[in-house]
Amino acid sequence: MFLYSNRVVDETKKLNIRIKDATIDQAMLKLLAGKSLGYLIESKTIVVFPQAQQVRQLIPNLKARETVTGTVTDEKGEGVAGVSVSLKGTNISAITDSNGNYSLNAPDSNGTLVFSFIGYATVEKLFSGSVPINVTMIVDNKALEEVVVIGYGTQRKSDLTGAVASVKEEQIRERAAPSLNQSLAGRMAGVQVNVNSGRPGGKSNIRIRGFSSINTSNNPLFVMDGVALPQSNLSQFSSPIDFINPNDIVSVEVLKDASSTAIYGARGANGVILVTTRKGRSGESRVTYNTDFGVPTMGPNKPEVLNAREYLAVEELAYKNMQKYDSVGWARGNYAPFNPAIRRANAALMANGVFDANGNPLHDTDWLKATTQSKLSQNHQLGLTGGNDRTTYAVSLGYRNDYGFIISSFMKRYSGRFTVEDQVKKWLRVGGTLSYNAQAENIVDINSNIRQIVEDLPILPVNYPNGTFANNRDYPGAEGTYSSVHRFSNSKFNLNTQTTIGSFFSNINLFKGLEMRTVFGSNIIRQETNEFTARTLNVGSANAGNAASRSQVETFWSLENYLTYNKKFTNSNLTALLGISWQENDGYNFRASAQGFDTDFYEFNNLGPGSGARGVSSGSDDTDFGFESYFGRINYNLLDRYLFTVTGRADGSSRFGQNNKFAYFPSAAFAWRVSEEGFWKKNDLISNLKLRTSYGLTGNSEIRSYDYLDLLGSNAAILNEARVPGTGLGRLANPDLRWEKTAQADIGLELGLLNNRITLEADYYYRKTTDMLLSAPVPRTSGYSSVRRNIGSMANKGMEFAINSANIRGKDLSWNTSFNISFNRNKILSLATPSDIVDVGGPNMTGVTNIIRVGEAAGSFYGLTRLGVWGTNEAAEAAKFASYRGGGKILPGDVKYLDVNGDYIINDADRGIIGNGSPKAWGSLFNTLKYKNLDLLVDLQYSYGNDVMDLTLHPSEDRQSTANSYRSVLNAWTPQNQNTMIAEVRQAGHTTTPDTRWVKDGSFLRGRNIMLGYTLSKSITDRMNLNSLRIYTSAQNLFLLVDDEIVGDPETTPIQGGEGANVFSQGQNFHGYPRPRTFMFGLQIGL
Amino acid sequence: MKTHIKKDINKVVFTGLFIMLGITGCEKSDLLNKQPESQINQANYYTLPEHAESALNAIYGETRTVYQVVGGIFSGVYQMLEAPTGTSRTESGQNADQNALHGLTYDGNTAHIASYWNNTYRLIAQANW
């Protein structure tokens, strides 16, 4: 061991000397030859000192020493390695070994030892003589000292002036989810994550503090290790984060208020999610291997449909009732083909053994069972980290193979990642990360495939005896053409997504306190969409057999340079940041499709042989955008009590009109740590109290590229029997087009009770979005319908509470509870004109489903009020109504709507707001119990006051006998059963339009994740040569409590929903991918 | 002291390098003035005689779309006259606009009527282009 002062030895350069078989004295003499240094050997320590200095001055009482030994353990009694043990008032120190033992040579036989270790409270102990000093280190619960990532930097949580929520690695790992969004669901107050599908991989969306936009994106900005992930035009409304392996992510910070998001300026309005991935660390290399296996099973609230006998009974009644509802047509014989006797006597059906000779069904198929599977899915993640004081690295490899609950759906992901960091010079640190994810999926919840499961007739088998598929179209007059099993088996929608993300950074320490960081990042997303529909799914058409392929490449790069200056004054601390950023994205896609194949062999692999009327058609387009931005921030901390932050950013974007190229976003915040004040008596009850407030402007620049330009439209005319292209009217230019602005005010409170065993964070916010992009109408006589303008405004206000409590913190038993609840209210303040916007929301095949109306919440459900069904004693009143049943007279047994204005006409004047898909309150409750080696997690999700608009009631309850229906139709109106909401069954003339019957109370409580784990004790893992081993089992979506007649899951969006024009379709049920209950088993191994 | 100066030179070189990389790598005009490359606008089209012809073709094209009336599910332009006069009937009853035609409660907001007028105005505008 060498002992020397930096001041002395720093002056010399590195020396290389060659010595062989020499004593230490000989070596030292050679080493120090010609230097003004001396040396001295004292009990295995070589002390180097300037020759002029006396050794005794350098180390007083070198001879009078005492050896102090002992063991440092944690609360569980296990030795803690790496604890620094130092003798107070000296430079003498030691480090504990892997068993927690230490030995320290003290110059005196009395003194104070200081034990310190990151994450633990520092302990001081007196020693006297050589009595062993054993210490138990207690985990430091001052979560306030936690460091969080903020835009372009990090900050101690106690210094934050903004509203920032964090999720740590262990919380992300609790759910073995394939996408980050799913891991984040319910973790943070104010952050609403809706997982709207049971599809492997999710299909989730994130809203931070409500909606902020109607026509541009409502998605937050994701920033991964300092590099933005732009929102690309990916298939299925997915976002680039969906394709990143969540196992590489170690922390996530969500910036919610304007003080923290304004540094991202024109892209901060919807909140910013900062993602930090795993880095290497110095010390012993570590290998981790995590694996899990899961099986999906039928989830809660499965749809209940008619069985074969029930279906046939409904069909008979429906046919009979047509005599009442269309007596003229009945007499004319319009409904004769629907006579059940004739339908069932169909020769082909008879030949295929569907009915017996008496017309009784021979099958009773459970189509839900036939189209679902419980196959074993697996996930393997291998990680390696290591390094020394200078260089650290991390490598990870992942493979996941999920079989979806619906047959033929799957998701596979291969991922690899490498990161390295090096302290090249004292003043220069560089690092880089390269990651690659390849994901392959087969999407089945497209078109009407899922819908078909409940509409498939139970009287049909899956396959006829000859092996071909049985289809609804085989049954005369039925709707639905091909069966669900047939569709899943003979069509493909393959999505192959490859994401390559690379980043490189350098940190240059220019002089004390001033650093320059440069981050160059690039991400390239390549997505291929390959579709194929077999010839059997379009029988008899010249265009039978369809194939299409689409390839999209999004290439993004960014270069950011910023200076950070930190200066400590006597009573205060100043941090200033100044930076510049350039970003560019190039999107290109190419697509081709063909039909009319004479074989299914090629699928989408060879479009050439397609010979249909339209042959092979193709197209391509290109969309680019660029950003040039300047940003800065000043944090000033006075007396550790008064914290000030001022932030600003100027964003220039190619998406803005010529007259508005640059946008400016300022913000300011102030926080007061009341509990640090002199007048505040230190007490354990209220151990921390901080008040903070902020105000600022952010923007939403996710307007489409070139939206400000007067692009031309194209059409085609037929001249001289030939198709000729025409180029003309497109859209109006708006050179003033610019970002949407959001001003946000936030007031927050952070409270720590009982020495921070209980922490509470509460926020109130008001967000007002102005300059909202809308299509403002222009006089129709111009030929145009509208022009895009920055007009319109909306507001969100809400409250958020997050509480964390360490209920029990014992040696063997610990119990932690965290609870969060969020409230948000949205209101439209102004639109382009006072009239409503109705072309938003879900599939509106039977009328408008959603409305955007001034004074109401954006995207409220819109429709008629169904009072019930006209009774036999109300025939005269019903007959007064103008027909709302295709011209037929309104009769007892017809739906009875509320006629708001009493004009006996049921039309738009009678429609109103009948619900809203956004919850009034939502959140989560987590309980973590640990007893010795066992751990139990109970993760509950709840939502209150959200409505569900069940559009499936249109085909499956309001209509009967064209396809199978829900069992609820057994409660339809009959002269004997008049107190019902469901009209009398019939073959035709169904009255069906969005109304209150479709709107259900979607409040729910979900057992999202129940997990039981066991960590093998050290003695066993040591014998197995392992560092750690944990086994666990979990059940996801275990139970779902709802209070209304909900079919399926209340957390849902229709097919194709979730973004774009359908951003307001949250809570609309239209045959999404059913959400399974999944049972899992996993292993976490540390080598 | 000599070494300190040398270090600082390194730093300056490095810092300057990154900043230059940024400035030369992305000219301001490149990033902020992206022009569409797969769509045309008035400024960069209509340069050849064929383009004038194409504008003329567009008028004929619009004559076709006048009859592309938006009428909702199970409906179309033909219902605009047939339904109110009772010539046509419907068995579905699920299209509110269609019901308005049958029930003689239609007005300018009924999809069929509105889209017919809008398409016709479009045709006129294209002819005056």
Side-chain angles (χ1 to χ4, degrees):
Chain A
M1 186 177 167
F2 276 86
L3 185 65
Y4 58 87
S5 158
N6 264 343
R7 237 180 318 143
V8 177
V9 181
D10 209 18
E11 218 179 284
T12 64
K13 287 183 199 155
K14 205 189 254 182
L15 277 178
N16 283 318
I17 55 166
R18 203 176 283 268
I19 302 171
K20 215 176 170 184
D21 297 335
T23 65
I24 290 176
D25 277 342
Q26 288 168 331
M28 288 308 291
L29 283 171
K30 193 167 178 189
L31 187 67
L32 301 176
K35 310 271 179 322
S36 56
L37 295 170
Y39 77 99
L40 179 133
I41 304 175
E42 269 291 345
S43 52
K44 293 183 186 170
T45 302
I46 302 168
V47 183
V48 180
F49 56 91
Q51 250 166 4
Q53 209 174 357
Q54 285 298 310
V55 178
R56 285 289 173 274
Q57 270 177 291
L58 200 71
I59 309 168
N61 304 323
L62 197 64
K63 287 246 152 120
R65 57 179 61 242
E66 190 73 61
T67 304
V68 189
T69 58
T71 310
V72 180
T73 52
D74 63 11
E75 286 156 288
K76 289 179 199 145
E78 284 172 19
V80 186
V83 177
S84 151
V85 185
S86 58
L87 184 61
K88 204 170 180 179
T90 71
N91 290 330
I92 300 168
S93 67
I95 302 272
T96 58
D97 65 14
S98 60
N99 294 317
N101 298 322
Y102 70 93
S103 165
L104 179 131
N105 296 322
D108 274 317
S109 54
N110 291 300
T112 306
L113 292 181
V114 181
F115 298 83
S116 58
F117 191 54
I118 294 168
Y120 289 84
T122 300
V123 179
E124 294 196 2
K125 276 252 165 143
L126 289 171
F127 74 92
S128 173
S130 58
V131 182
I133 302 294
N134 296 331
V135 165
T136 303
M137 302 286 283
I138 305 218
V139 173
D140 187 1
N141 269 287
K142 279 189 193 154
L144 295 175
E145 291 311 300
E146 193 186 317
V147 170
V148 295
V149 181
I150 56 169
Y152 303 101
T154 57
Q155 213 169 17
R156 285 192 305 170
K157 179 140 175 55
S158 55
D159 288 346
L160 279 180
T161 53
V164 178
S166 336
V167 178
K168 296 292 167 213
E169 182 174 12
E170 52 270 31
Q171 296 170 315
I172 296 172
R173 289 301 159 267
E174 277 172 9
R175 291 180 209 146
S179 78
L180 178 69
N181 286 359
Q182 283 167 288
S183 305
L184 296 183
R187 288 289 174 192
M188 296 155 288
V191 181
Q192 191 182 4
V193 181
N194 286 303
V195 179
N196 288 319
S197 170
R199 177 202 288 182
K203 189 179 177 185
S204 50
N205 64 43
I206 299 195
R207 300 275 167 269
I208 298 172
R209 296 184 166 180
F211 293 116
S212 76
S213 181
I214 292 173
N215 283 318
T216 61
S217 177
N218 281 281
N219 291 335
L221 170 69
F222 280 91
V223 178
M224 205 164 142
D225 296 327
V227 180
L229 288 179
Q231 293 176 21
S232 308
N233 257 329
L234 299 177
S235 183
Q236 298 286 305
F237 308 105
S238 49
S239 106
I241 195 72
D242 297 336
F243 303 98
I244 306 291
N245 182 2
N247 289 279
D248 291 335
I249 295 166
V250 292
S251 84
V252 173
E253 263 83 18
V254 178
L255 314 181
K256 299 188 284 191
D257 74 326
S259 165
S260 44
T261 56
I263 196 86
Y264 290 103
R267 295 196 282 174
N270 294 323
V272 180
I273 298 186
L274 305 177
V275 176
T276 308
T277 59
R278 191 186 312 282
K279 301 287 181 301
R281 56 185 197 185
S282 53
E284 207 184 338
S285 297
R286 281 159 183 264
V287 181
T288 56
Y289 170 65
N290 295 338
T291 182
D292 58 72
F293 299 88
V295 174
T297 64
M298 186 69 72
N301 275 351
K302 71 171 176 122
E304 299 290 346
V305 294
L306 298 172
N307 66 25
R309 294 208 160 270
E310 289 164 343
Y311 171 75
L312 292 175
V314 167
E315 184 185 272
E316 282 159 25
L317 189 60
Y319 168 69
K320 218 173 71 197
N321 285 341
M322 285 320 293
Q323 189 169 8
K324 170 181 169 186
Y325 288 103
D326 185 7
S327 51
V328 179
W330 177 270
R332 215 189 281 146
N334 288 352
Y335 301 99
F338 295 101
N339 185 340
I342 293 172
R343 290 174 105 175
R344 291 171 208 177
N346 178 285
L349 290 177
M350 295 302 281
N352 280 319
V354 174
F355 295 101
D356 67 13
N358 302 320
N360 293 315
L362 291 170
H363 301 278
D364 188 1
T365 304
D366 181 348
W367 287 94
L368 195 53
K369 212 170 163 184
T371 49
T372 53
Q373 61 185 7
S374 293
K375 263 174 133 172
L376 189 72
S377 297
Q378 50 185 314
N379 178 23
H380 304 274
Q381 303 289 336
L382 186 67
L384 186 63
T385 58
N388 53 34
D389 301 345
R390 234 191 51 167
T391 312
T392 58
Y393 71 93
V395 182
S396 67
L397 292 169
Y399 167 69
R400 105 171 270 138
N401 187 0
D402 282 6
Y403 288 102
F405 185 51
I406 299 281
I407 52 170
S408 83
S409 71
F410 65 83
M411 191 266 257
K412 277 183 201 179
R413 184 193 285 146
Y414 303 86
S415 49
R417 191 169 167 281
F418 176 69
T419 179
V420 64
E421 272 186 52
D422 188 48
Q423 191 75 43
V424 181
K425 300 276 172 196
K426 249 189 175 159
W427 52 271
L428 176 65
R429 187 169 181 81
V430 297
T433 301
L434 187 65
S435 76
Y436 177 75
N437 284 273
Q439 184 164 319
E441 294 166 86
N442 186 38
I443 308 288
V444 297
D445 46 331
I446 47 159
N447 304 327
S448 292
N449 291 0
I450 304 281
R451 171 178 171 180
Q452 192 59 41
I453 300 173
V454 294
E455 297 199 14
D456 275 332
L457 296 172
I459 51 176
L460 295 175
V462 175
N463 295 104
Y464 292 127
N466 65 7
T468 57
F469 289 110
N471 301 304
N472 272 14
R473 73 198 304 264
D474 304 341
Y475 194 66
E479 185 188 80
T481 58
Y482 300 97
S483 88
S484 51
V485 177
H486 190 179
R487 291 166 190 236
F488 294 133
S489 308
N490 282 11
S491 65
K492 286 183 178 176
F493 188 102
N494 285 1
L495 205 57
N496 299 323
T497 313
Q498 288 139 37
T499 311
T500 310
I501 302 183
S503 68
F504 170 83
F505 79 87
S506 72
N507 242 11
I508 300 171
N509 195 332
L510 292 166
F511 55 82
K512 193 172 164 16
L514 184 67
E515 267 193 2
M516 181 174 126
R517 191 175 173 90
T518 303
V519 184
F520 175 80
S522 175
N523 70 64
I524 299 160
I525 303 173
R526 189 173 176 281
Q527 188 168 55
E528 226 175 45
T529 313
N530 292 327
E531 292 178 71
F532 159 68
T533 310
R535 304 169 76 250
T536 57
L537 286 166
N538 197 359
V539 170
S541 162
N543 287 325
N546 289 274
S549 188
R550 179 174 182 270
S551 166
Q552 179 170 6
V553 182
E554 298 277 340
T555 309
F556 171 82
W557 66 261
S558 68
L559 176 62
E560 300 192 312
N561 286 295
Y562 53 98
L563 292 161
T564 309
Y565 179 67
N566 191 299
K567 174 87 181 158
K568 275 192 168 59
F569 302 98
T570 328
N571 284 325
S572 61
N573 186 21
L574 174 82
T575 308
L577 173 90
L578 194 63
I580 181 164
S581 158
W582 297 280
Q583 304 182 24
E584 190 175 26
N585 191 78
D586 180 278
Y588 178 77
N589 81 66
F590 177 83
R591 55 201 178 270
S593 62
Q595 55 277 118
F597 290 86
D598 64 356
T599 169
D600 287 334
F601 175 81
Y602 302 115
E603 298 189 345
F604 39 69
N605 298 307
N606 184 356
L607 299 180
S611 64
R614 276 170 287 167
V616 179
S617 60
S618 60
S620 67
D621 57 72
D622 177 276
T623 315
D624 303 342
F625 67 81
F627 271 96
E628 179 184 317
S629 316
Y630 306 89
F631 51 90
R633 178 173 58 211
I634 294 168
N635 292 318
Y636 184 66
N637 175 343
L638 182 64
L639 297 166
D640 249 349
R641 284 174 230 158
Y642 312 106
L643 312 164
F644 303 86
T645 305
V646 178
T647 310
R649 181 165 175 133
D651 269 313
S653 170
S654 65
R655 286 170 165 163
F656 306 153
Q658 298 96 313
N659 301 346
N660 282 310
K661 274 294 176 202
F662 266 90
Y664 303 92
F665 303 98
S667 89
F670 168 66
W672 179 28
R673 296 181 66 192
V674 184
S675 53
E676 300 299 308
E677 285 287 359
F679 62 77
W680 188 267
K681 285 227 176 66
K682 282 274 175 234
N683 64 65
D684 275 353
L685 180 65
I686 299 179
S687 38
N688 175 44
L689 176 62
K690 181 163 101 178
L691 300 172
R692 50 179 167 71
T693 180
S694 71
Y695 180 79
L697 276 182
T698 49
N700 185 342
S701 60
E702 292 299 322
I703 49 184
R704 288 174 304 191
S705 291
Y706 325 124
D707 242 11
Y708 65 94
L709 288 171
D710 54 344
L711 297 182
L712 296 176
S714 60
N715 62 17
I718 311 295
L719 298 177
N720 302 324
E721 313 249 332
R723 191 181 164 91
V724 291
T727 306
L729 282 175
R731 66 165 184 236
L732 290 167
N734 179 4
D736 293 324
L737 198 80
R738 57 174 188 253
W739 55 98
E740 297 183 347
K741 279 182 204 158
T742 294
Q744 182 173 193
D746 182 288
I747 299 172
L749 166 90
E750 288 169 28
L751 186 66
L753 300 174
L754 301 174
N755 208 11
N756 291 344
R757 274 182 78 160
I758 301 173
T759 58
L760 166 82
E761 195 161 345
D763 273 277
Y764 170 82
Y765 60 86
Y766 181 80
R767 291 170 79 202
K768 185 177 172 185
T769 304
T770 52
D771 276 6
M772 231 169 20
L773 269 187
L774 291 171
S775 295
V778 294
R780 283 287 190 166
T781 46
S782 68
Y784 295 98
S785 60
S786 61
V787 61
R788 283 253 156 160
R789 280 177 60 196
N790 291 91
I791 202 168
S793 58
M794 71 159 94
N796 285 281
K797 60 181 173 187
M799 291 205 281
E800 301 159 1
F801 298 91
I803 299 164
N804 192 64
S805 165
N807 306 332
I808 299 178
R809 233 169 26 187
K811 189 165 178 262
D812 285 339
L813 179 70
S814 70
W815 175 25
N816 198 83
T817 300
S818 63
F819 172 77
N820 65 62
I821 187 163
S822 312
F823 305 85
N824 186 67
R825 296 289 181 276
N826 175 285
K827 193 173 165 182
I828 298 286
L829 302 177
S830 68
L831 296 173
T833 69
S835 47
D836 306 323
I837 299 174
V838 291
D839 56 345
V840 293
N844 49 6
M845 65 262 170
T846 66
V848 167
T849 57
N850 297 62
I851 190 163
I852 292 174
R853 173 177 282 178
V854 174
E856 301 287 345
S860 297
F861 296 155
Y862 183 65
L864 296 171
T865 301
R866 193 190 296 194
L867 298 175
V869 181
W870 290 107
T872 33
N873 57 353
E874 296 171 305
E877 181 70 6
K880 290 185 195 165
F881 275 82
S883 176
Y884 47 86
R885 181 167 57 81
K889 186 178 153 193
I890 304 301
L891 298 170
D894 273 328
V895 176
K896 179 182 178 182
Y897 292 117
L898 178 68
D899 181 19
V900 176
N901 54 7
D903 61 357
Y904 290 98
I905 298 170
I906 300 298
N907 59 8
D908 279 352
D910 303 305
R911 287 176 199 269
I913 288 172
I914 54 175
N916 193 301
S918 296
K920 291 190 169 72
W922 75 94
S924 293
L925 174 67
F926 297 90
N927 272 293
T928 318
L929 260 165
K930 282 191 176 130
Y931 178 69
K932 291 190 172 162
N933 293 343
L934 274 174
D935 58 271
L936 173 72
L937 167 77
V938 181
D939 166 358
L940 304 177
Q941 174 196 13
Y942 66 89
S943 180
Y944 168 74
N946 55 305
D947 293 311
V948 168
M949 183 181 254
D950 193 348
L951 299 162
T952 69
L953 297 187
H954 153 64
S956 295
E957 185 182 275
D958 286 351
R959 303 188 315 163
Q960 311 85 27
S961 193
T962 48
N964 202 13
S965 306
Y966 289 152
R967 291 200 77 219
S968 58
V969 301
L970 297 177
N971 183 36
W973 191 93
T974 61
Q976 294 74 39
N977 179 32
Q978 301 208 7
N979 186 19
T980 173
M981 278 291 178
I982 304 167
E984 192 169 24
V985 301
R986 62 200 70 182
Q987 184 64 47
H990 306 103
T991 305
T992 171
T993 186
D995 67 20
T996 48
R997 167 70 187 170
W998 294 8
V999 177
K1000 314 282 181 186
D1001 177 0
S1003 304
F1004 67 88
L1005 174 70
R1006 185 197 306 280
R1008 183 167 40 203
N1009 188 14
I1010 317 292
M1011 179 170 67
L1012 182 66
Y1014 183 79
T1015 308
L1016 270 68
S1017 57
K1018 197 109 184 77
S1019 57
I1020 300 173
T1021 48
D1022 280 351
R1023 246 180 289 154
M1024 297 165 77
N1025 266 332
L1026 295 175
N1027 226 326
S1028 63
L1029 174 61
R1030 178 172 173 267
I1031 53 176
Y1032 67 91
T1033 176
S1034 75
Q1036 301 193 2
N1037 197 22
L1038 184 62
F1039 63 85
L1040 178 71
L1041 304 178
V1042 287
D1043 201 27
D1044 208 345
E1045 301 164 324
I1046 304 278
V1047 179
D1049 205 293
E1051 210 182 339
T1052 181
T1053 52
I1055 46 164
Q1056 306 254 312
E1059 224 358 276
N1062 292 321
V1063 70
F1064 299 109
S1065 62
Q1066 183 63 43
Q1068 291 189 346
N1069 181 23
F1070 196 63
H1071 302 295
Y1073 195 114
R1075 196 155 161 173
R1077 184 184 276 131
T1078 305
F1079 295 95
M1080 309 196 73
F1081 168 80
L1083 283 175
Q1084 292 168 337
I1085 301 171
L1087 279 174
Chain B
M1 203 52 211
K2 215 174 139 190
T3 53
H4 279 282
I5 292 166
K6 203 172 165 191
K7 272 181 202 165
D8 285 349
I9 288 171
N10 285 345
K11 288 183 202 179
V12 170
V13 169
F14 257 83
T15 313
L17 193 76
F18 287 128
I19 291 175
M20 288 307 288
L21 193 75
I23 291 170
T24 54
C26 33
E27 294 281 313
K28 192 175 169 179
S29 55
D30 275 2
L31 285 177
L32 298 188
N33 285 316
K34 298 273 177 201
Q35 292 301 315
E37 289 165 353
S38 59
Q39 285 165 296
I40 42 175
N41 58 8
Q42 296 207 34
N44 55 25
Y45 193 65
Y46 299 126
T47 50
L48 299 171
E50 295 91 301
H51 297 165
E53 212 158 284
S54 177
L56 188 66
N57 291 343
I59 304 171
Y60 290 102
E62 292 291 343
T63 59
R64 296 167 68 213
T65 50
V66 165
Y67 301 102
Q68 279 176 6
V69 162
V70 178
I73 192 165
F74 304 146
S75 194
V77 63
Y78 60 92
Q79 292 286 19
M80 208 163 55
L81 296 173
E82 308 286 295
T85 53
T87 316
S88 77
R89 63 192 181 92
T90 176
E91 286 176 5
S92 95
Q94 69 185 55
N95 179 337
D97 289 307
Q98 177 78 14
N99 281 342
L101 295 176
H102 284 294
L104 303 180
T105 56
Y106 59 89
D107 58 20
N109 291 320
T110 304
H112 300 73
I113 317 287
S115 96
Y116 179 78
W117 278 88
N118 293 341
N119 291 347
T120 312
Y121 277 127
R122 233 185 120 80
L123 167 61
I124 295 167
Q126 184 63 60
N128 292 332
W129 181 255

